[in-house]
Structures are given as C-alpha cells and as structure tokens.
C-alpha cells in the first residue's frame, strides 16, 4: 500500500512495490464484465444521513424507506465511477461500487494518450495526483513537468498527462485517491493528501485504471448506461500536428458505435460548447442526449449572462444542461429554494442534470468554511442531513433528470424512497 506513511506500513509498501499491479481483479487489457444481476446495496451512509436530518415530514418520509428493496436508477450517475468518495476515482473498483450502490449511469471522463487512445481520467494532466506514476521512474521521467521537491517555501510540483505516455504505459499505473502533499520532498511523500473525511482504506493493492473501451465493455456487461465526458485538452490542438478537437470528439462517439451501443444509452458531455454542437451536427443520434456542462457563473457576477445564454443553448438544439449544484439553488433566509437560473432552464424545457453531490466535506464543516458546491446555500446547510434536504428541492421543485454523485448509494436511497425510479 503506497500511500501511507512509511513508518506505519513500511513492510506493506515494500510488497506493493515488488508487485505493483497485484489485485483481486484480472490485469488483462479486457476488463471483466460482472453482469447485470448485482443486487443493489446502498450501505450504511444513507441511513446516517437520515439520522442527521432535522425533524419534519421529509425525515419521516425518508425513515420509512429504511428497509426498501432498492432498485438501480438512471437518475443516479456514478461520478468518476460512483464510489469516488472513498474509492479511487475512475478505477474499476469505483465503477463496481457505483453499480453495487444502484447507479444506472456510470461516468468515464475521457482523455487521450500519446498514441491517441482514449482513457478514463478526470483531467488530461492529473496522473501525478490520481495515480502512482511518480513512483515509476521510467514513466515519471516522461511527465510534462517532472517531480520537483518542495523547497524554500515553494510547494512541490509535478504535471503528468495522459498524453505524456502510451496506452501500454498507462495500463501499468495504479489508481489512488485524489490528492497530494504540497510539502513533499520525495515522490513517496507526494502521494499523501487524502482528506480525513475520505479514506485510503480501499486504495490498497493496485486499483485498476480503465481505458474508455474497457469502460464501455464493463458498463455494457452490467446492463447499465454511459456518460463519457470529453475533457478539455491541456496540450495544444491539433495534437502532434494533425489530431484535431473534432477528431477527438468523433473518436469518443466511434468507440460506442464500434461496441454496438445504442445512442439512447449514452449521454456525451463537455464543458466546451463547440464539442456539444459538433455532436448535434455530426452525430445527431448521439447529439440528442449531448450534455453541455455549464461553469460560466462561478463568478456570481456572471449569473445574468449565464441565464441569458440559456436561450442560445435552447435555440441550438441542446437538450441537456448540466450546471453545478450552486447555480440551481439559493438560500431564502436559510431555506433552500430554486434559483432564477433553475427557473429559466425549466421555462425553456431543458433537461437539467446536476453535479456533484457527496463531493464536499461534512456539511457542518461546509457551513463554517464554505465550499464550491454550496456557495449559494452555505447558510442553509447545517449537517449531512441537509444532503437530502437539497436533493429533495432539486428533484421535487426543480425536476432535475439526473444527478452526479461521488457516492451512488445516497442518491439511490432517495430516488427509490420518493418513487422516482
Ligand atoms: C508531507 O511531506 C513532508 C515533507 O516530506 C512530510 O514531513 C509530511 O509528513 C508529509 N505529510 C503527509 C501527510 O504525509
Ligand atoms: C498524422 O500525421 C502522421 C505523419 O504524417 C501520420 O503518421 C499519422 O497517421 C497522422 N495521424 C492522424 C491522427 O491523422
Ligand atoms: C428569517 O428566519 C428567522 C429564523 O427562522 C425568522 O425569525 C425571521 O422572521 C425570518 N425573516 C424573514 C424576513 O423571513
């Protein structure tokens, strides 16, 4: 286990280095397909959230569902696999957890390797803090910015991109919990950084990284659906002189077609608006469910412009709009209510997909310190019981169609309970 302090598990670390990819899962290039028959198990966390809720009708409604027979639901999108709160993101294991906890749709964020193969990574240049690449000297040497130790008050740095390595090299990596130690003086120290409210408990061994093709095979075998996100390139395009943005957007769709996946099982997403228009124009069947990820109002001063732009989105034929949680809600004297942005999206008949639940510290801490996903409702949350308060406003008042969650079981519990499956 590579991410603990050497003092605690020196012996285990030595074993892990000797057998870097030992795992209970096969290491062949074709991911196993567990099949569609998994019984949904939401685990303990949703019950904890219900216990935390303030007394009232919603709590009573949620309590009454404690012993339900939970079903999977397309309402529940497994963000970066769906077990990301506690299991390394985009790993096989995170996807298995997402399936087990009832996600109907699993996410692969897509980036390309130096040999132009598509792999699942949250960003093109996150390998240094989501995998063990810096512990593999041959690959660490290929990083865009090699590891530089912290010194003279400057933080440790590294930048390792999927486009720095080949597909075959990518497949030798192990996924880890997202995070790094900015004070690190060695690559080993740099691996640490998991916040206390997450865990390294399920990062032991070698959590398995996935290619996009493996993800498709895996999720198809589960009988579930797909939401791939075309990540913004962090290299100059056209890459290598002739690999264009359009070729990249096309390749993503081609991999579903080659696998025989029906377009109605796929929600391709992008923050880059031209990608969404490309799919609508060039792949109309897949374009029907193309999702535009909006992050244009992170500066609240931009809300009026972002709301006005929704008319353009509608006119362009985009049918799915995916804003972050705080764009959709606001605090009315401590009560969570729909925002003008949500009202306008609904007036236009756009399908709203929200992101991302279960990605924040405990909400008692959020209330004190603030957090991106709660920046419009900081004073309206008190503890983790408000995860269901928020979700109820999103579902019953804003009528969102789907929501990304770092912990699928939480949303599966809610949507089964309210009869929305
Ligand atoms: C971060 O790195 C510094 C310097 O190597 C080390 O002293 C510290 O213990 C590390 N922190 C963690 C959480 O591993
Ligand atoms: C880009 O150009 C090189 C050199 O001409 C060629 O080998 C390669 O196949 C081209 N790649 C693409 C994606 O067209
Ligand atoms: C805001 O909420 C507080 C506490 O619930 C209440 O006392 C107060 O009257 C409310 N103010 C307004 C303007 O609704």
């Amino acid at each position: 286990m590579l991410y603990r302090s050497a003092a605690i598990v020196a012996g285990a670390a030595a074993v892990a280095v000797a057998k870097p990819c030992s795992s209970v899962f096969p290491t062949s290039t074709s991911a196993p397909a567990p099949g569609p028959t998994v019984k949904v198990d939401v685990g303990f966390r949703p019950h904890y959230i219900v216990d935390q809720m303030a007394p009232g009708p919603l709590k009573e409604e949620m309590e009454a569902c404690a012993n339900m027979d939970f079903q999977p639901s397309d309402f529940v999108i497994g963000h970066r696999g769906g077990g990301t709160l506690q299991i390394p993101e985009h790993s096989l294991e995170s996807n298995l957890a997402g399936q087990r906890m009832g996600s109907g749709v699993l996410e692969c964020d897509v980036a390309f390797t130096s040999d132009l193969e598509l792999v699942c990574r949250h960003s093109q240049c996150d390998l240094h803090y989501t995998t063990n690449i810096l512990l593999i000297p041959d690959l660490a040497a290929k990083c865009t910015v090699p590891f530089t130790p912290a010194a003279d008050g400057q933080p440790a740095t590294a930048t390792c991109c999927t486009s720095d390595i080949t597909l075959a090299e990518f497949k030798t990596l192990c996924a880890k919990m997202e995070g790094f130690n900015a004070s690190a003086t060695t690559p080993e120290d740099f691996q640490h950084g998991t916040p206390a409210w997450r865990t390294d408990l399920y990062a032991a061994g070698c959590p398995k990284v996935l290619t996009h093709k493996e993800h498709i095979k895996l999720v198809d075998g589960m009988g579930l659906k797909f939401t791939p996100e075309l990540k913004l390139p962090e290299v100059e395009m056209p890459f290598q002189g002739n690999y264009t943005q359009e070729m990249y957007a096309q390749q993503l769709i081609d991999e579903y077609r080659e696998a025989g996946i029906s377009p109605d099982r796929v929600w391709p997403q992008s923050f880059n608006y031209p990608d969404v228009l490309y799919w609508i124009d060039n792949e109309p069947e897949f374009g029907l469910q193309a999702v535009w990820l909006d992050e244009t109002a992170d500066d609240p001063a931009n809300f009026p412009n972002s709301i006005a732009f929704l008319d353009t989105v509608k006119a362009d034929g985009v049918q799915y709009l995916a804003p972050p949680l705080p764009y959709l809600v606001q605090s009315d004297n401590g009560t969570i209510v729909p925002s003008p942005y949500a009202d306008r999206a609904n007036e236009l008949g756009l399908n709203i997909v929200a992101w991302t639940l279960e990605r924040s510290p405990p909400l008692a801490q959020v209330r004190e310190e603030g957090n991106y996903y709660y920046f419009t409702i900081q004073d309206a949350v008190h503890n983790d019981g408000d995860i269901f308060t928020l979700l109820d406003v999103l579902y019953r008042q804003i009528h969102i169609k789907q929501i990304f969650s770092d912990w699928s079981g939480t949303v599966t519990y809610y949507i089964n309970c309210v009869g929305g499956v």
Side-chain angles (χ1 to χ4, degrees), residues 147-218:
F147 175 74
T148 310
D152 305 326
Q154 297 300 307
T157 56
T159 304
C160 304
C161 308
T162 57
S163 50
D164 293 336
I165 58 176
T166 64
L167 176 71
E169 289 167 338
F170 176 82
K171 288 296 296 173
T172 68
L173 301 175
C174 304
K176 67 180 278 295
M177 291 298 285
E178 179 184 23
F180 60 91
N181 175 5
S183 309
T185 52
T186 65
E188 286 74 16
D189 265 347
F190 192 77
Q191 308 300 303
H192 301 243
T194 306
W197 48 274
R198 300 177 82 194
T199 181
D200 284 326
L201 188 60
Y202 306 109
C206 184
K208 195 172 183 305
V209 296
L210 294 172
T211 68
H212 184 231
K213 285 177 184 163
E214 287 173 341
H215 185 265
I216 293 171
K217 185 174 175 188
L218 175 74

Side-chain angles (χ1 to χ4, degrees), residues 275-353:
D275 295 339
V276 175
L277 298 183
Y278 174 87
W279 290 322
I280 289 173
D281 291 344
N282 296 281
E283 287 286 356
E285 286 184 312
F286 286 90
L288 279 177
Q289 295 193 148
V291 181
W292 181 52
L293 298 157
D294 187 4
E295 59 177 351
T296 59
D298 284 1
D299 175 354
N302 287 340
F303 266 113
N305 286 337
S306 298
I307 293 171
F309 186 67
L310 298 181
D311 288 305
T312 305
V313 172
K314 178 69 180 180
D316 286 340
V318 179
Q319 302 199 41
Y320 283 83
L321 170 70
L325 298 169
Y327 293 17
L328 293 170
V329 286
Q330 61 190 29
S331 170
D332 178 11
N333 192 28
T335 301
I336 301 170
V337 297
S339 69
Y341 180 104
D343 290 344
R344 185 63 188 146
N346 275 321
E347 280 166 15
L348 291 167
L350 295 165
N351 297 304
I352 302 172
V353 181

Side-chain angles (χ1 to χ4, degrees), residues 24-266:
V24 293
F25 298 105
T27 52
S28 72
T29 49
S30 61
T37 54
V38 164
K39 176 161 167 38
V40 171
D41 183 344
V42 297
F44 173 70
R45 182 162 169 78
H47 304 280
Y48 168 82
I49 291 170
V50 175
D51 285 346
Q52 297 279 304
M53 291 177 77
L58 183 61
K59 179 171 181 152
E60 286 168 24
E61 183 181 3
M62 292 293 121
E63 278 174 338
C65 297
N67 296 311
M68 269 185 95
D69 194 8
F70 295 102
Q71 301 300 315
S73 172
D74 291 353
F75 184 77
V76 189
I77 300 178
H79 185 238
R80 309 188 193 182
T84 300
L85 176 63
Q86 300 204 348
I87 300 171
E89 65 187 48
H90 287 304
S91 64
L92 169 63
E93 292 82 348
S94 181
N95 283 275
L96 294 175
Q99 177 197 28
R100 176 66 69 184
M101 291 193 285
S103 276
V105 183
L106 296 177
E107 184 188 42
C108 168
D109 291 321
V110 171
F112 52 83
T113 59
S114 64
D115 47 355
L116 306 182
E117 296 288 345
L118 303 183
V119 296
C120 301
R121 277 294 103 202
H122 179 251
S123 73
Q124 189 181 336
C125 298
D126 71 9
L127 296 180
H128 50 294
Y129 64 87
T130 65
T131 75
N132 64 343
I133 190 167
L134 292 178
L135 301 180
I136 305 173
D138 288 352
L139 299 187
K142 298 187 177 186
C143 290
T144 295
V145 179
F147 175 74
T148 310
D152 305 326
Q154 297 300 307
T157 56
T159 304
C160 304
C161 308
T162 57
S163 50
D164 293 336
I165 58 176
T166 64
L167 176 71
E169 289 167 338
F170 176 82
K171 288 296 296 173
T172 68
L173 301 175
C174 304
K176 67 180 278 295
M177 291 298 285
E178 179 184 23
F180 60 91
N181 175 5
S183 309
T185 52
T186 65
E188 286 74 16
D189 265 347
F190 192 77
Q191 308 300 303
H192 301 243
T194 306
W197 48 274
R198 300 177 82 194
T199 181
D200 284 326
L201 188 60
Y202 306 109
C206 184
K208 195 172 183 305
V209 296
L210 294 172
T211 68
H212 184 231
K213 285 177 184 163
E214 287 173 341
H215 185 265
I216 293 171
K217 185 174 175 188
L218 175 74
V219 176
D220 189 31
M222 293 170 169
L224 301 182
K225 298 175 184 171
F226 311 84
T227 190
E229 181 190 336
L230 197 74
K231 298 308 298 200
L232 207 60
E234 296 185 35
V235 290
E236 196 182 326
M237 298 296 270
F239 180 58
Q240 296 173 348
N242 55 2
Y243 183 63
T244 65
Q245 183 71 25
E246 291 74 20
M247 291 164 75
Y248 174 40
Q250 184 63 48
Q251 185 177 354
L252 180 140
I253 301 299
D254 287 346
E255 296 199 347
Y256 289 94
R257 185 171 288 115
E258 283 158 17
I261 305 296
S262 171
D264 62 8
R265 292 175 68 195
V266 185

